[in-house]
Amino acid sequence: MIIEPRTRGFICLTSHPSGCEQNIIDQIEYIKSEGTINGPKKVLVIGASTGFGLASRITSAFGSQAATIGVFFEKPPSEGRPATPGWYNSAYFEQEAHKAGLYAKSINGDAFSKEIKRQTLDLIKADLGQIDLIIYSLASPVRTHPETGVRYKSVLKPIGSSFKNKTVDFHSGVVSDISIEPAVGDDVDNTIAVMGGEDWKMWMDALQEEELLANGCKTVAYSYIGPSLTEPVYRKGTIGKAKDHLEATAFSIGDALKSVNGEAYVSVNKALVTQASSAIPVIPLYISLLYKVMKEKGIHEGCIEQIQRLFQDRLYSASTPTDDQGRIRIDDLEMRDDVQAEVAELWEKATTETLPNIGDLKGYEKDFFNLFGFLVPGVDYEKDVNEMVEIKGLQ
Ligand code: NAD
Ligand code: NA
């Protein structure tokens, strides 16, 4: 079929297999070009199909020749209806891994559930024995608790008072004022239940109980901080409370891992266009200004550059530098004083009229469509493409 982008609000309803394939190939080429990382050998990535999790899987496989098991929640294709992009990403990641002689298998389902954990543990036991790196990179709006069956929904709200600021609709380029009402009732607890650290700890406890963790193993979950501009809606809002919880969980997991000489980290990553971040109000405007400033300074990175640096310079270097709260910081370039000062200045000036010049709205839009395999250089979108792509190592 011929597949074109169809958008609704912050999402794209279609995705292009060949564009997703090209994205995978480009990321693999980047990793290879950066040379070998003396990294992990057997890796589990939870949230492996898009964004930072996918970049972690590619970096493990093509930077360190690691065997990878990827867990994700994606929709397969049906006749005439493309899959979600993470499905195609995983299919083509596996294709390239298998070509390179690397073990790669995938599990598609709810990572929060007992069933998917059980299936993953059994697969590790059968195929890999023990694993030495666990990447936790889920971004989900909902979680059904495995013990109680309660379904929690996360919200993106400020805490205490309403937040008024500007935002941009990156499809139309219109900058407008928004006001977001503060969290009420169980909003904070619900958001912590979805995006906090409880599920990460459950995974690690289950792996450890069944002796599937190699001596010296590492685990990493991803967090975000960002500037004071977005603080009310991000770091000091409901999602920030969940990230506080996630970061605190790294310490309890770290304590438990001492018996296998393991380490648990949170890595604070840069703001990037992903399916998760495009749904957060205010963030797209911030990102479009940030991209402009960082590109002009020659320090812009995408997910793959970020994770390559995480592995090479932090996790698998002679020492793992952290901040005073024990976090790995690969948001160091984003948070540089000169970068933040320029973004803050541009923020004041941002209107519908000025944004095309002072911000990188084009770069934002391109990255957004790229997530779905569209606007990818080198892909012929006029060409008939088979939407019914299989993931060969799907369990
Ligand atoms: P993403 O939307 O690209 O990836 C989310 C992944 O989680 C996908 O693989 C998806 O299939 C999987 N997933 C979602 N629900 C699932 C479920 N129930 N079961 C199994 N898999 C499920 O998101 P991302 O931006 O790469 O986010 C990953 C992590 O990085 C999050 O913790 C996020 O907060 C963090 N982070 C993101 C940014 C950013 O700007 N995008 C910055 C810093 C940190
Ligand atoms: Na991810």
Side-chain angles (χ1 to χ4, degrees):
M1 66 186 288
I2 304 288
I3 308 175
E4 289 177 346
R6 273 205 297 132
T7 56
R8 193 174 63 202
F10 303 116
I11 53 168
C12 184
L13 301 167
T14 50
S15 71
H16 202 284
S18 311
C20 292
E21 179 176 23
Q22 190 61 48
N23 283 336
I24 294 290
I25 290 168
D26 292 346
Q27 292 187 64
I28 292 171
E29 283 311 310
Y30 175 76
I31 290 301
K32 285 185 178 168
S33 76
E34 291 294 304
T36 303
I37 302 166
N38 188 13
K41 291 293 159 234
K42 296 175 183 179
V43 181
L44 170 63
V45 181
I46 304 159
S49 54
T50 57
F52 285 110
L54 173 63
S56 306
R57 191 176 193 187
I58 293 173
T59 305
S60 298
F62 292 91
S64 301
Q65 304 293 305
T68 60
I69 293 175
V71 179
F72 46 78
F73 207 3
E74 302 292 343
K75 215 182 200 160
S78 53
E79 292 290 341
R81 200 176 162 165
T84 49
W87 177 275
Y88 294 130
N89 290 341
S90 302
Y92 293 116
F93 166 80
E94 280 199 2
Q95 170 189 290
E96 296 304 312
H98 296 158
K99 264 194 229 163
L102 298 170
Y103 173 101
K105 288 188 182 176
S106 301
I107 292 177
N108 187 32
D110 182 5
F112 297 129
S113 72
K114 284 189 181 176
E115 294 70 23
I116 290 296
K117 287 189 177 72
R118 181 71 265 151
Q119 205 187 334
T120 309
L121 298 179
D122 290 344
L123 182 61
I124 295 169
K125 216 173 280 180
D127 286 6
L128 301 180
Q130 291 186 322
I131 51 178
D132 57 1
L133 176 66
I134 301 89
I135 297 286
Y136 189 82
S137 186
L138 293 184
S140 174
V142 291
R143 171 176 174 229
T144 301
H145 197 281
E147 303 295 341
T148 63
V150 174
R151 190 168 183 269
Y152 296 101
K153 281 175 109 168
S154 70
V155 298
L156 294 158
K157 294 183 185 174
I159 294 171
S161 49
S162 65
F163 175 61
K164 292 185 182 56
N165 214 318
K166 317 186 214 192
T167 192
V168 66
D169 174 338
F170 57 87
H171 293 303
S172 66
V174 173
V175 177
S176 62
D177 291 327
I178 52 156
S179 175
I180 311 169
E181 292 309 305
V184 292
D186 296 332
D187 280 350
V188 171
D189 289 344
N190 292 348
T191 306
I192 292 173
V194 180
M195 288 297 285
E198 187 186 27
D199 182 63
W200 182 25
K201 180 88 170 89
M202 284 180 169
W203 271 101
M204 295 308 299
D205 284 348
L207 288 161
Q208 193 160 12
E209 265 160 34
E210 305 201 11
E211 296 179 3
L212 300 178
L213 298 177
N215 191 55
C217 69
K218 298 177 202 273
T219 184
V220 187
Y222 297 138
S223 189
Y224 183 64
I225 297 178
S228 51
L229 268 173
T230 60
E231 242 174 21
V233 71
Y234 198 94
R235 194 61 208 210
K236 289 188 175 161
T238 50
I239 181 72
K241 291 292 174 203
K243 291 302 188 189
D244 290 345
H245 187 271
L246 182 79
E247 292 174 13
T249 304
F251 293 100
S252 60
I253 293 174
D255 285 341
L257 291 185
K258 280 189 182 130
S259 62
V260 291
N261 300 306
E263 294 163 34
Y265 292 104
V266 158
S267 170
V268 182
N269 300 353
K270 174 190 192 235
L272 279 168
V273 181
T274 64
Q275 291 182 75
S277 69
S278 46
I280 309 177
V282 188
I283 299 282
L285 179 58
Y286 169 70
I287 289 182
S288 73
L289 299 173
L290 180 73
Y291 273 26
K292 180 84 167 186
V293 172
M294 292 187 81
K295 284 179 185 176
E296 272 173 11
K297 291 179 187 289
I299 54 172
H300 176 71
E301 296 172 307
C303 287
I304 197 69
E305 290 85 358
Q306 279 265 291
I307 300 301
Q308 200 283 333
R309 202 154 65 85
L310 171 66
F311 277 49
Q312 180 104 67
D313 298 349
R314 304 288 200 273
L315 276 182
Y316 296 102
S317 71
S319 67
T320 300
T322 56
D323 67 11
D324 58 4
Q325 296 182 55
R327 303 174 294 206
I328 295 173
R329 302 297 295 266
I330 51 169
D331 65 340
D332 47 351
L333 302 175
E334 169 182 358
M335 298 311 285
R336 243 167 56 177
D337 289 344
D338 60 324
V339 172
Q340 286 303 321
E342 285 180 41
V343 171
E345 204 174 298
L346 294 174
W347 186 274
E348 294 305 317
K349 295 182 189 151
T351 63
T352 306
E353 290 67 39
T354 60
L355 192 59
N357 293 319
I358 68 169
D360 187 22
L361 212 49
K362 281 229 160 61
Y364 191 103
E365 215 180 356
K366 180 179 177 294
D367 278 11
F368 178 79
F369 282 107
N370 283 176
L371 297 175
F372 302 89
F374 296 110
L375 300 182
V376 178
V379 175
D380 181 0
Y381 291 100
E382 312 278 294
K383 214 170 132 189
D384 211 28
V385 64
N386 177 19
E387 72 280 18
M388 299 302 289
V389 176
E390 274 177 50
I391 303 176
K392 290 272 159 31
L394 190 70
Q395 297 305 289

